[in-house]
Amino acid sequence: MSHSGILLILSGSSGVGKSTLCKHIIASIPDVRLSVSYTTRPIRDGETHGVEYWFIDQEEFRRMIAQDAFLEWAEVYGNLYGTPRQELLTQIDKGIDVILDVDVQGARNVMKNMPDAVSVFLLPPSLEVLKARLETRGTDNAEVVEHRFQKAQAEIANYVEYDYTIQNGCLEQAIKEFESIIVAEHVRTKRLDRAWVLRHGLARQESNRVS
Ligand code: 5GP
């Protein structure tokens, strides 16, 4: 049975473990990819252009906005981030599931424009643990860490807008839960391929159903 891929929106504050979770999901489930966003944020040690992000300057980012190249874009912590539209739609058409790691504003825009998308919010086990993770990550100075921690608290309050919530206390459990969501979403009746339904003569039974 052929299906289109699923668009999976994953949000959660910085330091909650989204990248680690995504890496495991991509390694464990075939045909799941992570969308690589464009950003004007400076590249961090250990990051590679085209892997974590496409790192571009403001001028190029604005040019891409004008060309309508983004499915959504937002300013996060003073930098611009955008999800490239075409690559993503091509992958979904090919039956590949695509994970978008976006902030709450980006998630809201995608939920509005792509109603079939499935949204997942990743929660930290506690605020204390989140603060400690942000501090030990060591990629940002104390002021940036404090700013991110304040923003994280405000962001967490938006978890109710998402279809699913995963608490990332134990990584193995979080992976299992995310995998289960993907598996279950694939067998939702609404995703049944119309061509397959018609080929197997199920359309008649559908139309006979009393509504
Ligand atoms: P970081 O710079 O730490 O990798 O990411 C900062 C924040 O930007 C995270 O909350 C991440 O989810 C968000 N982000 C990354 N890419 C995008 C994007 O394409 N669009 C939006 N709206 N947010 C993004």
Side-chain angles (χ1 to χ4, degrees):
M1 218 185 298
S2 74
H3 280 284
S4 293
I6 297 174
L7 185 55
L8 296 148
I9 302 167
L10 180 66
S11 299
S13 55
S14 328
V16 76
K18 284 174 294 179
S19 323
T20 310
L21 179 61
C22 286
K23 270 187 207 137
H24 281 87
I25 293 292
I26 286 161
S28 69
I29 306 188
D31 290 337
V32 179
R33 309 263 190 289
L34 185 62
S35 166
V36 180
S37 294
Y38 285 75
T39 185
T40 61
R41 159 167 87 56
I43 191 164
R44 292 182 186 135
D45 281 350
E47 289 183 329
T48 309
H49 184 63
V51 176
E52 287 81 9
Y53 290 102
W54 298 104
F55 296 92
I56 59 174
D57 61 22
Q58 285 251 3
E59 200 183 330
E60 197 178 344
F61 199 98
R62 299 276 172 207
R63 204 167 29 239
M64 290 183 73
I65 294 174
Q67 290 165 346
D68 202 21
F70 296 124
L71 178 68
E72 63 74 39
W73 66 272
E75 186 175 331
V76 188
Y77 311 121
N79 297 305
L80 301 173
Y81 294 82
T83 305
R85 182 196 301 276
Q86 198 45 55
E87 168 76 0
L88 182 149
L89 295 180
T90 305
Q91 291 191 324
I92 298 273
D93 272 356
K94 284 186 191 158
I96 295 169
D97 298 336
V98 182
I99 305 177
L100 300 185
D101 170 349
V102 291
D103 79 326
V104 171
Q105 318 163 63
R108 278 196 193 121
N109 284 332
V110 178
M111 287 177 203
K112 200 164 61 198
N113 298 327
M114 310 279 287
D116 278 348
V118 175
S119 54
V120 180
F121 196 94
L122 192 60
L123 282 171
S126 69
L127 288 179
E128 291 71 31
V129 170
L130 178 65
K131 180 110 194 252
R133 283 185 192 166
L134 286 172
E135 283 165 353
T136 54
R137 199 159 68 159
T139 49
D140 299 302
N141 64 39
E143 199 185 325
V144 172
V145 166
E146 186 51 36
H147 181 62
R148 286 187 176 224
F149 183 58
Q150 295 300 329
K151 187 160 185 232
Q153 293 180 69
E155 265 179 355
I156 286 169
N158 297 296
Y159 74 92
V160 283
E161 295 176 31
Y162 289 70
D163 298 317
Y164 298 94
T165 312
I166 297 177
Q167 204 168 352
N168 194 11
C170 161
L171 181 62
E172 283 70 33
Q173 180 65 19
I175 295 168
K176 212 186 288 173
E177 289 175 3
F178 201 0
E179 285 173 347
S180 308
I181 291 168
I182 296 174
V183 171
E185 284 291 335
H186 267 286
V187 293
R188 298 249 331 222
T189 306
K190 72 170 186 183
R191 296 192 199 278
L192 200 59
D193 180 51
R194 291 297 302 162
W196 186 91
V197 168
L198 292 171
R199 239 186 353 262
H200 291 80
L202 292 174
R204 190 161 31 87
Q205 289 163 32
E206 265 188 357
S207 63
N208 282 346
R209 203 167 49 196
V210 179
S211 56

